[in-house]
Amino acid sequence: MNSSNSFNICPRCGNSNALNAKYCSRCGGQLKVPEEPVVCHKCHTHNTPMANFCRNCGTTLKVGSETKLCPRCGKEVSGDKAICECGYSFVTYQQTIPSTEHAVDVSVLKDEQTSANSQVQDQAKADKPEKKKQKKEKVEKVYSTKGGRGWAIAALVFLLLFAYYIVAPYQARPSVLVGIDGGFTNGGSVDTTTYGYETLFALVSNIMAVVGGAAIGEALFANGVAGFMIGVLVLLAVFTLLVHLIVVIVRIFTTKRSKKMNLYFMIVAIVATVVVGLMTLFKYVSVPDGFMSTVAGWFILPEDTSLGLAIWAIPVYFWFFYLFSLCAKAKQLKEKA
């Protein structure tokens, strides 16, 4: 059976014709295409011509020649009925031929169909950028600010403790603490014990000496490559401490929380751990002559200077606040389109 959803049923003879046909191919009768020709036999809801199921109740719609339209009153009549309620008879029809006035040129229909298809394709192409634009629309994420000020105050307290331990000169520290940690480097006496302040001051002095015309190698590497690397680590830590302090103060007043973990702290923590770890390793482990001996020499301080335990405060600072960022990051509440 042919589906009335896919064909235009002739109201006179019940023949199935193409949807765009204006005259019946069997009897020549003029066809009528209503806006909603498919009527549900269960709830009598009018559906679109291409509907397979009722849009109101979901019932499978009548198919084939089971339905036909009365040309007199426009009502749908069951296919097994020969007479409509209005009295129109589907049996006593006569073969008619379309008049010249209403004759249809097949080539004109084909041109109209081709033009319609072209318009559909153009519309589809015009819709594609719009769909892509919709996909590219960013989704605004909303994060919780609850507890933001508390996390920021806690970060400030720990930040000040690390800043004191890393930067403060040995004169501002208890003598007991200096005797335990031994500073970043020490020369065997308290007066030669250095922390962040002394190390940073020495690095800046060496850089100024290079600007003044001194040889780069002699100025920057006066305490060996290891001494220069310690100076760079201290410089990086001091710079991070200053920026970190500003960020924490801003978050105390705005109550904002970090949305992601701090990858910067993780990367610097790894680098600092490797550098300080190799310095500590080669302090106690001797390496045979060769390439490895040359590499080990980069991480060994001059004989009159030894490595202290306080140098580990730098990688610990970065690791601590990397883990802190994991705990303090804001939770996502919802998304806004």
Side-chain angles (χ1 to χ4, degrees):
M1 282 188 181
N2 296 323
S3 172
S4 60
N5 299 328
S6 304
F7 297 92
N8 191 350
I9 307 301
C10 177
R12 298 185 61 185
C13 65
N15 181 49
S16 299
N17 299 276
L19 285 175
N20 60 352
K22 296 181 179 180
Y23 296 91
C24 180
S25 62
R26 177 187 291 176
C27 66
Q30 187 171 0
L31 301 177
K32 182 179 179 181
V33 183
E35 292 182 1
E36 294 183 337
V38 183
V39 180
C40 177
H41 64 278
K42 185 177 180 181
C43 66
H44 308 293
T45 300
H46 284 246
N47 296 274
T48 59
M50 299 304 293
N52 293 322
F53 300 91
C54 177
R55 61 186 172 85
N56 183 44
C57 64
T59 303
T60 304
L61 300 174
K62 293 181 180 180
V63 296
S65 59
E66 291 179 359
T67 59
K68 48 192 174 184
L69 295 174
C70 177
R72 179 182 293 177
C73 65
K75 291 184 178 181
E76 186 177 61
V77 182
S78 177
D80 56 356
K81 291 184 179 181
I83 300 176
C84 179
E85 293 178 358
C86 68
Y88 179 84
S89 175
F90 292 91
V91 179
T92 58
Y93 70 86
Q94 295 179 353
Q95 182 77 14
T96 58
I97 300 175
S99 62
T100 307
E101 180 181 356
H102 299 289
V104 180
D105 189 351
V106 177
S107 63
V108 173
L109 291 176
K110 289 183 178 180
D111 291 342
E112 291 178 355
Q113 185 64 29
T114 302
S115 177
N117 293 338
S118 178
Q119 291 178 0
V120 172
Q121 292 177 357
D122 292 341
Q123 184 63 33
K125 291 180 180 179
D127 291 342
K128 284 183 179 179
E130 185 66 24
K131 291 180 179 179
K132 290 181 179 179
K133 185 178 180 180
Q134 292 177 358
K135 291 181 179 179
K136 290 182 178 179
E137 288 182 356
K138 294 184 178 180
V139 178
E140 182 182 355
K141 297 180 179 180
V142 180
Y143 293 88
S144 171
T145 58
K146 185 178 180 180
R149 181 171 284 112
W151 282 104
I153 293 174
L156 178 62
V157 173
F158 287 112
L159 178 62
L160 293 176
L161 291 175
F162 275 108
Y164 168 78
Y165 191 79
I166 292 174
V167 181
Y170 76 91
Q171 293 91 341
R173 300 168 185 264
S175 58
V176 176
L177 181 62
V178 175
I180 294 175
D181 61 35
F184 288 0
T185 62
N186 62 80
S189 63
V190 175
D191 294 339
T192 57
T193 300
T194 63
Y195 289 91
Y197 173 80
E198 293 85 4
T199 303
L200 186 62
F201 182 80
L203 178 65
V204 172
S205 299
N206 293 338
I207 293 174
M208 294 303 297
V210 172
V211 174
I216 296 177
E218 294 179 359
L220 295 182
F221 304 112
N223 294 324
V225 179
F228 175 74
M229 286 191 289
I230 292 175
V232 172
L233 286 179
V234 172
L235 180 63
L236 185 62
V238 171
F239 173 78
T240 305
L241 285 166
L242 291 174
V243 176
H244 197 177
L245 180 62
I246 296 173
V247 172
V248 168
I249 292 175
V250 170
R251 286 182 177 169
I252 289 176
F253 289 100
T254 61
T255 71
K256 288 185 177 181
R257 296 174 62 177
S258 176
K259 298 177 181 179
K260 298 179 181 179
M261 61 180 181
N262 199 316
L263 291 178
Y264 167 78
F265 277 94
M266 184 188 72
I267 294 172
V268 180
I270 293 173
V271 174
T273 302
V274 172
V275 173
V276 177
L278 290 176
M279 288 182 181
T280 305
L281 175 66
F282 293 127
K283 175 183 177 181
Y284 301 102
V285 178
S286 59
V287 180
D289 294 339
F291 175 75
M292 288 302 300
S293 177
T294 303
V295 174
W298 300 341
F299 297 92
I300 298 176
L301 292 167
E303 295 181 357
D304 57 343
T305 305
S306 61
L307 191 69
L309 295 176
I311 189 65
W312 281 100
I314 295 177
V316 169
Y317 159 69
F318 288 109
W319 279 120
F320 177 85
F321 277 102
Y322 165 68
L323 297 175
F324 190 90
S325 69
L326 291 178
C327 300
K329 67 178 182 178
K331 294 181 180 179
Q332 184 177 337
L333 297 178
K334 58 183 178 179
E335 293 184 354
K336 278 186 179 180

